[in-house]
Amino acid sequence: MSDDHPKGLTPDEAHQLLHEHPQAVLVDIRSSMEFLFVGHPKGAVHVAWIDEPDWVVNPHFTTEIRKLLLGGVACEPGTPCAPVVLICRSGKRSLEAGKALLKDGLKSVYHVDEGFEGDLDEDHHRSTTGGWRFRGLPWEQC
């Protein structure tokens, strides 16, 4: 993981990391509507990076992530940092949000490079070529 980019993980790698590190948190950063109606990984916490109605970057994003971790990001020498795994639709927003967290001092930041739904296929459909849901990992929707 470079100092300014979160480490990209495949959906399977992210799922494995979450199993191996119970202190890790999976954060779905999509809009509220996407999280609720498209579905989300089971166990994911929702903190929007960009959300309705204004569609601007959440100015409190890092603070909200720090609150989730309850101090677990205070990476003192010799103590582990709680991993933060970000997921969005296709991996683009989570990369940008991860860069912001690293810039703000968080240390153990990852992102799911295929996202929840993956990229568009030739018919402009998602969840057909990649993503958390396509890979058969646990998910739910309202």
Side-chain angles (χ1 to χ4, degrees):
M1 180 172 9
S2 74
D3 290 342
D4 61 349
H5 284 72
K7 179 174 178 10
L9 300 173
T10 66
D12 290 314
E13 290 170 339
H15 190 253
Q16 182 177 348
L17 182 145
L18 293 162
H19 264 315
E20 292 174 357
H21 298 277
Q23 78 278 23
V25 61
L26 175 60
V27 183
D28 191 316
I29 67 160
R30 294 173 298 156
S31 72
S32 299
M33 299 301 260
E34 287 174 292
F35 180 82
L36 292 172
F37 298 116
V38 175
H40 53 270
K42 280 192 176 179
V45 178
H46 181 243
V47 177
W49 171 245
I50 298 173
D51 207 357
E52 65 266 347
D54 299 324
W55 301 107
V56 296
V57 172
N58 177 355
H60 307 291
F61 184 75
T62 300
T63 300
E64 291 179 38
I65 298 299
R66 288 185 186 279
K67 285 179 183 178
L68 280 178
L69 297 173
L70 301 174
V73 296
C75 302
E76 301 298 325
T79 62
C81 301
V84 176
V85 181
L86 305 175
I87 191 167
C88 64
R89 181 178 60 198
S90 62
K92 293 170 183 63
R93 283 177 281 180
S94 60
L95 177 61
E96 293 306 312
K99 288 178 187 178
L101 291 177
L102 290 166
K103 183 178 178 226
D104 288 343
L106 277 74
K107 302 289 185 209
S108 188
V109 181
Y110 301 84
H111 86 106
V112 180
D113 57 11
E114 294 178 16
F116 183 70
E117 294 183 84
D119 287 327
L120 292 169
D121 66 14
E122 62 277 354
D123 294 319
H124 298 283
H125 297 153
R126 293 191 189 273
S127 296
T128 60
T129 62
W132 184 278
R133 186 165 55 186
F134 176 78
R135 303 287 176 207
L137 297 169
W139 66 282
E140 59 193 359
Q141 67 190 131
C142 297

